[in-house]
């Protein structure tokens, strides 16, 4: 997953989940693309079934771990 | 989460703080936040200043960088110096001091050390460099371990043979048990780790309520999440309840993520024991690769020194990680040990209690110092109630102990 560490925090060391709005899903490759804080990112969706464009995924270390609420990205 | 303004409302936070003050009575409450992310939030938003002085937040061992012992880091640096190796790791780890330097120092000395955001990035590097051996130094709790597991499964499925994982993944339950068994610290309850619980769920924490009689509230990472978690613990105790509650229901499901747990059990098994900085060896507290993935195990493929290295005498990270000392009570806090020149791991990561105090906690520190001086008590290592006593140069050096 591309992305910037922010707030002087290493996003992976700090166990953070980052919210990503899904723009498209590549089912054969098991990846979803979207944006986190405005940056284009690509995450594995091996651990979440039935991901569709428009929903929010909570991601860590390049992997979506959970679905999120729109609230999580300020929508 | 960023932009979750609803959970950062200052008026609501003050109102919740006032409610906690009204309901906490005269008792001195000690509540441990297990996760380093919580520690960071507490200091960034000044949560302690919204709480009454009788409600004390104790900062636990939930920063994965902070609990890595120096010897394990030396092992990683030794691998990074192996010919032909591309060594990858997360950002904070690069600055953690080993006994003779950090990974950044190794990079400056010529080792090919690269920062990645995901182990999947390390896999890409391995694919792009088939003639090189790519090592990923894996750290983190159950939140991070699934990405390592998925990476190894992909590497195996795609026949990638030049990727290796130096596994330092740890699990959160055993250190909580070690802390509860420690005679040093008497806690009233725990703020449970929100994002670890996204993977493991809330049920693994039931031993804390059932065996130790301490309430646990799994909380989120915004200021109101933490304040509400504190209030829920106090309410439980007032009502005579002792339960695992889930304040972070908008993210954490009670059963966690079963697919993630399945992936973890396929790729990892529990180590018989693992050394934690400050807590010593804790049985079944870390992960190693299953035999099926032995060919990807850097510890089996590379020769690692395996030397245990004790922290410098002056460093009191261990006591800080157990919550026995406040960071500012350490002898070298803010003087010899700063985020720019860390001696201990707790000063490296922003989730480390020392870095959090240093970056955000000066006001709280001053308030605590006034309280300690007024009460005449002292708990710091230099024995005079003041932080930052003089330290001899040899006390700043790491101490080789023995081969693991």
């Amino acid at each position: 997953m591309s992305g910037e560490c922010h707030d002087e925090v290493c996003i992976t060391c700090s166990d953070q989940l980052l919210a990503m709005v899904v723009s498209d899903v590549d089912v054969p490759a098991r990846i979803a693309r979207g944006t986190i804080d405005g940056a284009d990112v690509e995450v594995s969706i091996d651990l979440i079934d039935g991901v569709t464009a428009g929903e929010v995924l909570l991601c860590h270390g390049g992997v979506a771990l959970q679905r999120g609420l729109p609230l999580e990205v300020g929508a | 989460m960023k932009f979750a303004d609803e959970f950062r409302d200052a008026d609501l936070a003050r109102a919740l703080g006032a409610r906690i003050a009204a309901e906490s009575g005269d008792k001195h409450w000690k509540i441990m936040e297990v996760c380093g992310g919580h520690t960071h939030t507490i200091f960034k938003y000044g949560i302690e200043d919204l709480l009454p002085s009788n409600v004390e937040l104790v900062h636990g061992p939930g920063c994965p960088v902070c609990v890595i012992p120096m010897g394990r880091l030396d092992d990683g640096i030794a691998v990074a110096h192996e010919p032909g190796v591309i060594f990858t790791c997360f950002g904070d780890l690069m600055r953690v001091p080993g006994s003779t330097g950090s990974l950044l120092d190794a990079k400056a000395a010529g080792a090919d050390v690269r920062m990645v955001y995901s182990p999947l990035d390390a896999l890409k590097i391995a694919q792009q460099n088939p003639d090189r051996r790519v090592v990923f130094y894996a750290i983190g709790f159950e939140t991070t371990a699934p990405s390592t597991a998925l990476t190894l499964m992909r590497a195996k499925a795609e026949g990638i043979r030049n990727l290796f994982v130096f596994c330092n993944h740890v699990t959160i339950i055993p250190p909580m048990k070690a802390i509860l068994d420690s005679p040093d610290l008497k806690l009233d309850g725990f703020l449970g780790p929100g994002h670890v619980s996204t993977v493991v769920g809330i049920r693994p924490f039931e031993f804390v309520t059932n065996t130790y009689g301490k309430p646990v509230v799994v909380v989120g990472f915004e200021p109101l999440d933490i304040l509400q978690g504190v209030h829920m613990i106090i309410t439980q105790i007032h009502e005579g309840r002792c339960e695992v509650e889930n304040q972070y229901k908008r993210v954490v499901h009670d059963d966690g993520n079963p697919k993630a747990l399945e992936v973890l059990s396929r790729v990892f098994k529990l180590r018989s024991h693992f050394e934690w900085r400050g807590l010593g060896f804790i049985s079944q507290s870390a992960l190693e690769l299953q035999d099926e993935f032995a060919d990807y195990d850097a510890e089996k493929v590379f020769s690692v020194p395996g030397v245990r290295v004790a922290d410098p005498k002056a460093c009191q990270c261990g006591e800080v990680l157990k919550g026995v000392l406040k960071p500012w009570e350490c002898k070298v806090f803010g003087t010899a040990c700063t985020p720019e020149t860390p001696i201990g791991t707790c000063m490296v990561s922003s989730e480390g209690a020392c870095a959090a105090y240093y970056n955000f906690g000066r006001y709280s520190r001053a308030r605590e110092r006034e309280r300690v001086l007024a009460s005449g008590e002292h708990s710091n290592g230099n024995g005079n109630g003041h932080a930052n006593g003089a330290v001899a140069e040899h006390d700043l050096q790491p101490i080789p102990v023995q081969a693991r």
Side-chain angles (χ1 to χ4, degrees), chain A residues 8-36:
Chain A
E8 299 177 346
V9 170
C10 169
I11 54 175
T12 26
C13 293
S14 61
D15 263 1
Q16 282 192 45
L17 295 185
L18 298 178
M20 182 187 90
V21 183
V22 177
S23 57
D24 68 277
V25 180
D26 183 340
V27 175
R30 304 186 307 280
I31 58 172
R33 297 183 188 89
T35 55
I36 293 178

Side-chain angles (χ1 to χ4, degrees), chain B residues 353-376:
Chain B
C354 295
Y357 262 85
Y358 188 91
N359 290 325
F360 301 116
R362 293 183 181 279
Y363 176 74
S364 300
R365 190 184 66 189
R367 189 180 66 171
E368 175 74 359
R369 180 177 292 172
E370 285 169 15
R371 187 188 68 76
V372 169
L373 291 176
S375 67

Side-chain angles (χ1 to χ4, degrees), chain A residues 3 8 12 49 60-61 65 72, chain B residues 1 117-118 144 257 259 350:
Chain A
E8 299 177 346
T12 26
D49 290 326
H60 177 86
L65 290 177
E72 307 297 343
Chain B
M1 305 305 154
Y117 292 101
S118 161
T144 315
N257 183 329
K259 285 189 87 166
S350 296

Side-chain angles (χ1 to χ4, degrees), chain B residues 19 23-24 27 29 215 217 230-243 245:
Chain B
R19 195 164 165 186
E23 296 178 15
S24 60
K27 171 180 163 60
W29 300 79
V217 178
V230 170
H231 183 253
M232 288 168 76
I233 288 174
I234 290 172
T235 300
Q236 275 201 41
I237 292 176
H238 279 328
E239 294 177 354
R241 293 185 289 121
C242 184
E243 303 166 4
E245 288 186 293

Side-chain angles (χ1 to χ4, degrees), chain B residues 204-224:
Chain B
F205 301 104
E206 286 174 349
F207 82 96
V208 181
T209 56
N210 296 343
T211 306
Y212 294 92
K214 307 292 182 189
V216 178
V217 178
V218 173
V219 297
F221 293 83
E222 296 297 335
L224 288 180

Side-chain angles (χ1 to χ4, degrees), chain B residues 380-403:
Chain B
N380 61 328
N382 53 10
N384 59 13
H386 293 274
N388 311 330
V391 177
E393 180 63 29
H394 59 78
D395 284 345
L396 302 176
Q397 303 305 315
I399 308 156
V401 178
Q402 63 189 55

Side-chain angles (χ1 to χ4, degrees), chain B residues 314-327:
Chain B
C315 175
Q316 293 178 289
C317 275
E319 301 308 295
V320 172
L321 283 167
K322 285 189 287 188
V324 176
L325 284 187
K326 293 291 186 190

Side-chain angles (χ1 to χ4, degrees), chain B residues 239-275:
Chain B
E239 294 177 354
R241 293 185 289 121
C242 184
E243 303 166 4
V244 180
E245 288 186 293
N246 184 2
Q247 182 275 340
Y248 201 27
K249 283 185 177 171
R250 66 186 190 278
V251 170
V252 172
H253 299 174
D254 287 1
D255 291 326
N257 183 329
K259 285 189 87 166
L261 292 171
E262 189 183 320
V263 163
L264 289 180
S265 65
R266 182 174 162 203
V267 175
F268 297 116
K269 58 185 176 183
L270 288 171
R271 288 178 188 267
S272 59
H273 59 275
F274 191 76
E275 185 183 8

